[in-house]
Amino acid sequence: MAESVSAAYARGLLELAESNGAGRTALLKESGIEAPVLSDPDARVPLSQYAALMRAAVAATGEPALALHYGESTDIAQLSVVGLIGQAAETMADAHAQLNRYVRLVVDVDTDGPERFRFDADRHGLWLVDMRRRPNAFPELTESAFAQIVCRPRQLGVPGFARAVHVTHPEPAYVDEYTRIFQAPLVFNAARNAILVDGAVLAQRLERLPRYAFGVLTEHADTLLHALERSASTRSEVEKLLMSVLHMGAVSMADIAARLNVSRQTLYRRLKAEGVTFEQVLDELRHRLAMEYLASGKVSVNETAYLVGFSEPAAFSRAFKRWTGMSPRDVRPR
């Protein structure tokens, strides 16, 4: 699938960065997002462009915890019908069920299983687990999502939702902001991204909007969701095929076109219509997978190079330096 966020969600981040002194024109240029796209709240922005916007905004504002602040301060009801549906839900538990149902309208990402968020119980209690794949390739998305999940109940007068917060990425330099925002014990380099929740809080009633609104809003959201599900992109098809052959080495556009039963020129035109080139899709996929493999700590740098299609480790190291400004060994857990 082609991972994406709603244009309204990207616009919200852009506006937060602007309020912190960043320049709008420069951020749009660095992210590759076209300004007219942001005027349609139901339009989609590729996740790769949203990630580029986040990182450009962090650099421009000098605020490394910007993703946390975005989640803390943002009212999703101002950006998406999903937030309004949550406010029309009867209880916190119902609100989270609706979030799970419609979250793709805000952020649509690959997940391990049919749900983005799953409740798991163990001896410690009830955990809300983020099932997003490759979370450490873009940990800022975990930060903003978890800050939103924890802070929104607090803003609605329902404190104490989180009893512990576990994240799979390493502890950042701005850990004090984690402490301030989550107000719960923290574990970094954890086995999963999960929030230990207070089950009693889930039973608390909400209904800040009339119940009548719930039916109207969900009908609209269902229409948007069906449209999203029908919009399978050429890029997503190309990525699926690339993932199955990357380890074989050199992969050409002609090879992928043949597997799709179209000409090379047709594939070129279809990707161009989606605002990308074959080389860009290949490069960004290699980057994403390399981050996932290295962050897992289960394969070596040389093995990662092979898995993402580089015949020489030196060529992989040069590409990785271009992607991140770091050596692959700087990312792999020791």
Side-chain angles (χ1 to χ4, degrees):
M1 62 175 287
E3 298 180 301
S4 64
V5 305
S6 72
Y9 195 63
R11 187 182 68 241
L13 175 61
L14 179 64
E15 291 172 350
L16 176 63
E18 285 185 279
S19 71
N20 280 271
R24 179 185 182 89
T25 301
L27 291 179
L28 290 175
K29 181 178 180 180
E30 290 188 54
S31 66
I33 298 173
E34 299 290 339
V37 172
L38 300 182
S39 63
D40 179 0
D42 296 326
R44 308 299 298 180
V45 172
L47 184 66
S48 58
Q49 291 185 344
Y50 178 75
L53 174 63
M54 176 67 77
R55 286 161 183 163
V58 167
T61 61
E63 180 47 77
L66 189 68
L68 285 175
H69 297 163
Y70 187 38
E72 177 189 24
S73 62
T74 300
D75 179 0
I76 293 297
Q78 299 295 322
L79 303 176
S80 170
V81 66
V82 179
L84 292 171
I85 290 172
Q87 292 190 15
E90 291 185 12
T91 64
M92 285 291 299
D94 189 25
H96 277 280
Q98 300 308 322
L99 168 67
N100 227 12
R101 181 179 178 185
Y102 296 115
V103 66
R104 292 178 57 201
L105 295 178
V106 182
V107 178
D108 190 18
V109 292
D110 287 336
T111 57
D112 289 318
E115 297 178 322
R116 168 68 189 278
F117 297 102
R118 185 181 74 194
F119 279 113
D120 281 346
D122 63 13
R123 62 187 179 85
H124 299 289
L126 190 64
W127 294 88
L128 183 67
V129 184
D130 188 345
M131 303 300 292
R132 179 167 64 104
R133 290 180 180 171
R134 303 179 294 275
N136 287 8
F138 186 23
E140 295 92 339
L141 197 61
T142 301
E143 292 181 332
S144 57
F146 275 19
Q148 170 70 25
I149 289 170
V150 171
C151 292
R152 190 58 185 151
R154 197 180 299 156
Q155 294 159 0
L156 294 174
V158 186
F161 179 71
R163 294 169 52 196
V165 176
H166 290 199
V167 292
T168 57
H169 52 267
E171 180 178 314
Y174 48 91
V175 68
D176 286 350
E177 283 299 277
Y178 271 81
T179 302
R180 180 185 66 81
I181 289 171
F182 292 115
Q183 300 176 21
L186 302 164
V187 175
F188 296 94
N189 293 310
R192 60 184 181 175
N193 290 301
I195 302 171
L196 181 62
V197 304
D198 186 339
V201 172
L202 290 174
Q204 294 199 28
R205 298 190 65 81
L206 290 178
E207 286 194 280
R208 296 175 65 87
L209 291 178
R211 189 61 180 171
Y212 167 78
F214 184 82
V216 176
L217 294 168
T218 54
E219 182 177 354
H220 177 59
D222 282 333
T223 300
L224 295 175
L225 193 60
H226 292 156
L228 179 62
E229 290 169 347
R230 289 195 302 268
S231 64
S233 68
T234 298
R235 176 176 183 153
S236 67
E237 295 300 313
V238 169
E239 287 184 340
K240 288 178 186 176
L241 290 173
L242 284 172
M243 289 180 72
S244 66
V245 299
L246 269 182
H247 65 282
M248 297 170 61
V251 180
S252 72
M253 188 174 177
D255 294 335
I256 298 301
R259 288 171 179 266
L260 290 170
N261 293 316
V262 299
S263 69
R264 184 183 183 281
Q265 189 61 24
T266 296
L267 179 57
Y268 170 82
R269 286 197 304 270
R270 290 181 181 177
L271 289 173
K272 184 179 180 181
E274 294 178 7
V276 295
T277 65
F278 176 80
E279 291 74 19
Q280 181 183 350
V281 173
L282 175 60
D283 193 57
E284 291 180 0
L285 180 63
R286 281 174 160 171
H287 177 194
R288 197 169 75 227
L289 292 176
M291 291 296 293
E292 178 184 4
Y293 290 136
L294 292 171
S296 74
K298 296 178 180 178
V299 293
S300 68
V301 171
N302 288 353
E303 288 169 334
T304 299
Y306 164 77
L307 288 170
V308 299
F310 287 88
S311 57
E312 296 292 335
F316 170 63
S317 293
R318 288 194 296 272
F320 198 86
K321 180 80 172 193
R322 171 171 56 82
W323 293 329
T324 67
M326 298 183 293
S327 161
R329 288 180 172 79
D330 292 335
V331 175
R332 191 170 184 272
R334 290 172 174 79

